[in-house]
Amino acid sequence: MVRLARVSTLEEKAVLRLLQYRLPANEANAKEEWSAIVEGKHTLWDEISEAYKETIRAFLIHFHCEVLKAASLHFEFCYGSVGNFFLTGTRLFFHSLETSLFWFARVSGCHPDSTVLPVLNTNHAVTIGVELENGTRILGQNEISHPVKTTTTTTTTSLSGASSQHRLQVHKESTDDLESPIKRLFYLNQDKQEILPHCNPTVLKKLRDECAIVYAIGSLWTSIIPCLVLEGVGEAIAQKRCPKIFLLNGYPDRETRGCTAVDFITNATNALNRWGA
């Protein structure tokens, strides 16, 4: 969303720097910087007006309070994105992802002609998984695209209540190939049962109203296809007579290594048709 932000003034540039900022890799340094940001003392606030600053800081404080309530759960701030913390703070406050996206767009200065909507508008936990061509199933976005590495054996729990017996860190530089190409993507509920969620009705209306559909650059199986496989999306796109443009990534990733441009189109089409669902 920050890529949609207007950065014509010094303050707008400062807000963008704040929301894009990631905390250090060292946990002690990350906590120290985070405290300075929450308290309003960090240099990132220097060119942001008091009213603008307090609007943003209120939701960062709300997020921080939720972390403090779950202090025994060992929340890790290292590599944390201030923008993600702000978005989480607004979602926890409003109990609505769509509302939190609206606030993020306003605070970050997204162009008024642009609209960012969640394809799933729910506060219930959902997980994506994939089935490989050899029959193997992989559950969770991180395990699909950026496999996690166990760093300690302490029990951790996320703010949403999901529990694990290890502390895990995402390694986005992971380049290990999948053992087999991905055949299909699916959603799982909290009970690990396969489900087919309905798309946000507002998104479907937008698809019917717009004059062109662009499949943007991004991870094919963990960013693009999770939007396409939802119930109602394929039908809405099939009925729409307009230019449909697919932007290919500049380089392959773990999910698509070895894929051709035709493979991208085929996989997207299969998802829209919910092939294999």
Side-chain angles (χ1 to χ4, degrees):
M1 285 179 66
V2 293
R3 295 180 181 178
L4 300 173
R6 294 169 293 178
V7 288
S8 57
T9 68
L10 288 176
E11 183 172 57
E12 289 170 346
K13 292 177 182 178
V15 170
L16 184 62
R17 278 196 302 272
L18 173 70
L19 296 176
Q20 287 182 318
Y21 188 73
R22 284 194 176 273
L23 298 174
N26 178 275
E27 180 68 8
N29 293 341
K31 284 185 175 180
E32 183 179 358
E33 278 211 46
W34 172 244
S35 293
I37 291 170
V38 170
E39 292 170 8
K41 300 175 181 178
H42 200 285
T43 55
L44 286 166
W45 296 111
D46 286 353
E47 294 176 337
I48 302 175
S49 65
E50 192 67 18
Y52 213 153
K53 170 183 172 180
E54 293 307 315
T55 299
I56 299 171
R57 202 166 72 88
F59 293 107
L60 295 180
I61 292 172
H62 186 72
F63 169 77
H64 186 67
C65 288
E66 293 298 315
V67 172
L68 292 178
K69 290 177 186 177
S72 62
L73 305 181
H74 309 292
F75 184 86
E76 289 189 352
F77 286 96
C78 52
Y79 295 116
S81 162
V82 175
N84 285 345
F85 293 163
F86 173 80
L87 187 63
T88 302
T90 57
R91 186 186 63 79
L92 291 171
F93 182 81
F94 292 111
H95 302 287
S96 167
L97 179 57
E98 192 161 350
T99 303
S100 67
L101 288 172
F102 170 85
W103 268 94
F104 193 100
R106 289 296 182 267
V107 166
S108 62
C110 289
H111 195 280
D113 290 337
S114 62
T115 303
V116 180
L117 297 168
V119 291
L120 285 176
N121 192 19
T122 177
N123 283 320
H124 297 292
V126 291
T127 303
I128 59 171
V130 294
E131 180 182 346
L132 307 186
E133 289 183 359
N134 67 359
T136 300
R137 288 161 65 96
I138 303 175
L139 307 183
Q141 177 181 348
N142 289 340
E143 288 299 315
I144 299 166
S145 57
H146 309 299
V148 297
K149 178 181 178 182
T150 302
T151 57
T152 73
T153 55
T154 186
T155 300
T156 60
T157 308
S158 70
L159 292 178
S160 63
S163 180
S164 171
Q165 292 300 313
H166 302 281
R167 178 173 297 175
L168 303 174
Q169 289 186 341
V170 176
H171 287 258
K172 292 197 172 185
E173 68 275 12
S174 174
T175 57
D176 294 340
D177 289 348
L178 290 166
E179 60 185 70
S180 176
I182 298 174
K183 182 168 85 172
R184 71 181 184 100
L185 177 136
F186 51 86
Y187 278 89
L188 297 169
N189 61 17
Q190 292 172 301
D191 297 321
K192 302 301 181 185
Q193 298 171 325
E194 194 167 328
I195 58 172
L196 179 60
H198 291 271
C199 182
N200 181 352
T202 308
V203 173
L204 296 180
K205 183 179 185 303
K206 282 286 184 182
L207 284 174
R208 290 191 288 267
D209 293 345
E210 298 306 316
C211 59
I213 297 173
V214 178
Y215 301 84
I217 290 173
S219 298
L220 179 66
W221 286 101
T222 54
S223 292
I224 309 301
I225 285 181
C227 301
L228 306 183
V229 75
L230 297 172
E231 187 167 351
V233 174
E235 291 84 346
I237 291 177
Q239 293 168 7
K240 184 68 177 179
R241 299 293 181 232
C242 69
K244 296 164 186 176
I245 305 156
F246 202 113
L247 301 180
L248 294 174
N249 295 332
Y251 56 89
D253 56 20
R254 169 180 160 90
E255 302 172 19
T256 56
R257 193 166 289 118
C259 289
T260 65
V262 173
D263 292 329
F264 271 77
I265 302 298
T266 300
N267 286 325
T269 302
N270 287 341
L272 289 168
N273 288 323
R274 293 193 288 281
W275 176 81

